[in-house]
Amino acid sequence: MKKKWFVGLVILAAGAATVVTIMALRSSNDNLTTIETARVARRDIGSTVLATGIIKPMVGAEVKVGSRISGVVKRLRANIGDYVKAGQIIAELEDSELQARVNQNLAAVEKARADLEYAQAVFGRDQSLSQKDLISQQQIDQSETSLKVAEALLKQAEANLDYARVQLSYTIIYSPISGVIASVSTQEGEAVSASLAAPTFVSVIDLTRLEVQVFVDETDIGKIQIGQEALFTVDTYADSDFKGAVTAIYPKAVIQDNVVNYVVTLTITDFQEKTLRPEMTTNVTIRLETRKNVLTVPTNAILREQGERYVTVIDDGRTSQRKVKAGWKDNGFTEIVSGLEEGETILVTPSNKEKEL
């Protein structure tokens, strides 16, 4: 009885082993049908850095226009969205008091000029009398001093008049740049005080002087250089690619949620005849340099294990893993810096996508 039971157990174990073997072979055959090969070939390969950014005004492209003197706003000639030119009047302050001060100083100048003319006449007369020894030297000195005092008083009066006219000119506020009115913070009839800081009337933005501030990951910042070309899109013009160029790389990092980014500034070189506005979100592609005639393999052919990169090489029907050093990636291909020779055959399998670089 025990012998029959032992024989049955052996037969059952052999059957199970057969089933496992068949399943393994089928699995192996299935994998073989998905295996592809490729040759190591030379091609031109470029690389890009993808990042997001925000459109910002350039330095000097957004100006807050205010008053240099205190007063009451008599007239405001600006509304949000209006286009203004450089030198255009955007506000006027009440000027009656300053105009009266100008008139007062103008009268002072006229009096000082008359006093000077009189002092000149007295000095000229005293000089003639002195030549005839009809007056003393002391009198000559006194008339000369009076002349110099009159000259100084006229210069002071003229300076006071110039100052009053400058103060009066501040009652008219001009736009320093051409652009669009972005905000209005003062209304007609309001009193403004310039004792501590110039009160802001309006903000003007030149929409032709915008730039893109791009947030580049720390793993890519080493590839960015001044002058590299870039393309970017904004949601409102999804069908348009705007052109730019790298003009600055900020040395200080921006850390948010433990993610380290560096700000890269792009100047916009082609607006595509569209109106871009500050704070628009952009999707940016920065083009790095193109490497000519370098060895490449399909990216899917490269495996990464424990920080090292490998490919499977086929040589005379035999396969072997070989360590490689990879460079740039572009359109499904990766540059091979070392480890392979041109013309060698390698394996490319869909399963490698899970371990793609």
Side-chain angles (χ1 to χ4, degrees):
M1 183 69 179
K2 292 183 178 179
K3 184 176 182 181
K4 289 182 179 180
W5 178 81
F6 178 75
V7 172
L9 184 60
V10 172
I11 293 173
L12 181 61
T18 302
V19 172
V20 171
T21 302
I22 292 173
M23 291 179 65
L25 289 173
R26 287 181 177 179
S27 177
S28 178
N29 289 336
D30 290 342
N31 288 335
L32 286 174
T33 60
T34 62
I35 289 178
E36 298 178 2
T37 62
R39 288 189 178 275
V40 181
R42 293 189 177 275
R43 67 179 66 240
D44 295 343
I45 189 169
S47 185
T48 59
V49 170
L50 304 179
T52 58
I54 300 175
I55 295 178
K56 295 285 188 180
M58 299 174 67
V59 176
E62 181 177 8
V63 179
K64 295 180 179 180
V65 185
S67 173
R68 298 180 63 176
I69 61 172
S70 302
V72 177
V73 180
K74 180 172 67 175
R75 186 175 181 185
L76 188 64
R77 302 184 181 184
N79 293 312
I80 294 177
D82 289 349
Y83 179 80
V84 294
K85 293 182 179 180
Q88 180 176 331
I89 298 175
I90 58 177
E92 299 176 41
L93 298 180
E94 177 61 45
D95 62 353
S96 57
E97 181 179 350
L98 292 175
Q99 184 62 59
R101 194 172 299 171
V102 169
N103 294 337
Q104 183 180 12
N105 282 280
L106 185 60
V109 168
E110 294 298 327
K111 180 181 180 304
R113 187 173 289 119
D115 291 344
L116 175 61
E117 291 176 354
Y118 176 75
Q120 288 173 337
V122 171
F123 180 68
R125 183 191 60 192
D126 288 349
Q127 279 186 321
S128 298
L129 295 175
S130 175
Q131 291 175 356
K132 299 177 182 180
D133 295 328
L134 297 176
I135 60 174
S136 65
Q137 183 62 39
Q138 182 179 3
Q139 289 179 306
I140 288 292
D141 293 341
Q142 289 178 345
S143 62
E144 184 178 6
T145 300
S146 297
L147 176 61
K148 292 180 179 179
V149 170
E151 291 174 344
L153 289 175
L154 176 60
K155 290 181 179 180
Q156 182 179 2
E158 290 174 341
N160 291 337
L161 176 61
D162 291 340
Y163 178 77
R165 284 173 172 169
V166 169
Q167 292 294 104
L168 179 62
S169 69
Y170 290 158
T171 61
I172 301 179
I173 293 97
Y174 303 90
S175 176
I177 63 172
S178 298
V180 177
I181 302 295
S183 65
V184 177
S185 55
T186 304
Q187 301 299 325
E188 291 185 2
E190 289 187 6
V192 295
S193 176
S195 57
L196 298 177
T200 299
F201 284 11
V202 300
S203 294
V204 182
I205 298 179
D206 185 354
L207 296 181
T208 65
R209 298 176 59 199
L210 301 176
E211 63 186 15
V212 182
Q213 292 186 359
V214 188
F215 300 97
V216 178
D217 188 88
E218 60 177 324
T219 58
D220 294 322
I221 193 64
K223 305 173 186 176
I224 306 301
Q225 297 180 7
I226 303 298
Q228 289 173 335
E229 296 181 353
L231 297 175
F232 68 92
T233 60
V234 295
D235 291 340
T236 190
Y237 304 119
D239 58 341
S240 299
D241 289 330
F242 300 92
K243 295 181 180 180
V246 176
T247 55
I249 303 172
Y250 285 31
K252 189 174 181 180
V254 177
I255 303 175
Q256 187 173 7
D257 297 331
N258 294 324
V259 177
V260 179
N261 289 308
Y262 290 85
V263 176
V264 174
T265 302
L266 301 181
T267 183
I268 303 174
T269 58
D270 187 358
F271 283 79
Q272 296 289 324
E273 299 183 352
K274 300 289 195 304
T275 300
L276 298 176
R277 302 179 187 278
E279 307 306 323
M280 284 184 172
T281 302
T282 62
N283 295 309
V284 183
T285 301
I286 301 176
R287 295 175 176 174
L288 307 182
E289 62 178 307
T290 300
R291 298 193 176 182
K292 301 288 187 179
N293 197 34
V294 296
L295 291 178
T296 61
V297 299
T299 301
N300 293 347
I302 302 177
L303 298 171
R304 182 169 59 185
E305 297 178 1
Q306 298 180 351
E308 302 291 346
R309 294 170 174 82
Y310 300 89
V311 297
T312 302
V313 180
I314 302 175
D315 186 13
D316 292 333
R318 298 180 179 180
T319 61
S320 62
Q321 278 197 331
R322 189 181 300 175
K323 181 179 175 181
V324 296
K325 182 179 179 181
W328 287 3
K329 294 191 298 184
D330 181 33
N331 294 327
F333 289 91
T334 297
E335 175 191 7
I336 299 298
V337 179
S338 63
L340 292 175
E341 298 292 336
E342 183 178 1
E344 289 187 297
T345 302
I346 58 174
L347 289 180
V348 181
T349 63
S351 61
N352 283 0
K353 291 181 180 179
E354 298 179 358
K355 299 182 180 180
E356 184 178 331
L357 290 176

